[in-house]
Amino acid sequence: MAINVYLNFNGNTREAVEYYAEVFGTEPPHIMTFGEAPPDPSHPVPEEAKHRVMHANLMIAGSPVMFSDVFPGMPYTEGNNISLTVTDTDAEKIRHWFNKLKEGGTVHMELQETFWSKAYGNLKDKFGIHWQLSHDNGQNG
């Protein structure tokens, strides 16, 4: 388990992640767009979101750094576009940490199953720190 940095951008993640890959001499990033995600008929992806980056990651100086564009219409403030991400193979730990962190905070996405995790949620804690917590079944690459 580790705490990772997650950086959000407003439509220019591809440019940013390719720039950082060049700066730090990393492998070319794998970039997944919102349009490439498995379709969900109850939440269709609008045309203007399909090209935006849903997820990319780089190893920078031995640390994983993750990147994403905000979804069109979501709030974005440069300088506050960072969250800490905790991933663990113990789902009970994820639930415990999420429930403790949400006390006095604001839940943005309740802990739930997604196509990438059996338990994922994100919130802002009572100190204004943004967190993403995610169960990893140990099979994610």
Side-chain angles (χ1 to χ4, degrees):
M1 179 192 70
I3 293 179
N4 299 313
V5 175
Y6 207 112
L7 303 174
N8 292 113
F9 296 88
N10 194 18
N12 61 340
T13 295
R14 183 178 300 276
E15 177 185 357
V17 75
E18 288 173 352
Y19 170 76
Y20 293 126
E22 181 184 341
V23 168
F24 294 102
T26 71
E27 293 289 322
H30 172 74
I31 297 173
M32 179 183 193
T33 65
F34 286 104
E36 295 170 326
D40 179 352
S42 61
H43 295 92
V45 176
E47 202 57 44
E48 68 271 16
K50 289 183 178 180
H51 72 282
R52 287 192 174 215
V53 174
M54 180 177 182
H55 181 76
N57 65 307
L58 295 175
M59 286 298 287
I60 298 176
S63 294
V65 178
M66 296 177 280
F67 302 81
S68 177
D69 279 316
V70 296
F71 207 74
M74 296 298 291
Y76 174 83
T77 304
E78 192 171 305
N80 290 340
N81 51 329
I82 185 169
S83 62
L84 300 178
T85 304
V86 180
T87 304
D88 199 280
T89 56
D90 185 334
E92 272 309 305
K93 280 185 185 177
I94 294 297
R95 277 190 275 289
H96 174 75
W97 294 331
F98 188 88
N99 289 330
K100 294 297 281 183
L101 286 168
K102 77 179 187 180
E103 293 173 8
T106 305
V107 174
H108 298 292
M109 183 176 177
E110 193 59 60
L111 202 60
Q112 62 189 269
E113 186 170 344
T114 65
F115 74 87
W116 67 87
S117 174
K118 292 290 184 190
Y120 170 85
N122 67 68
L123 56 89
K124 179 171 67 172
D125 71 18
K126 65 183 178 180
F127 298 105
I129 304 300
H130 293 266
W131 293 89
Q132 297 183 61
L133 289 94
S134 185
H135 175 258
D136 176 1
N137 65 5
Q139 298 175 2
N140 299 333

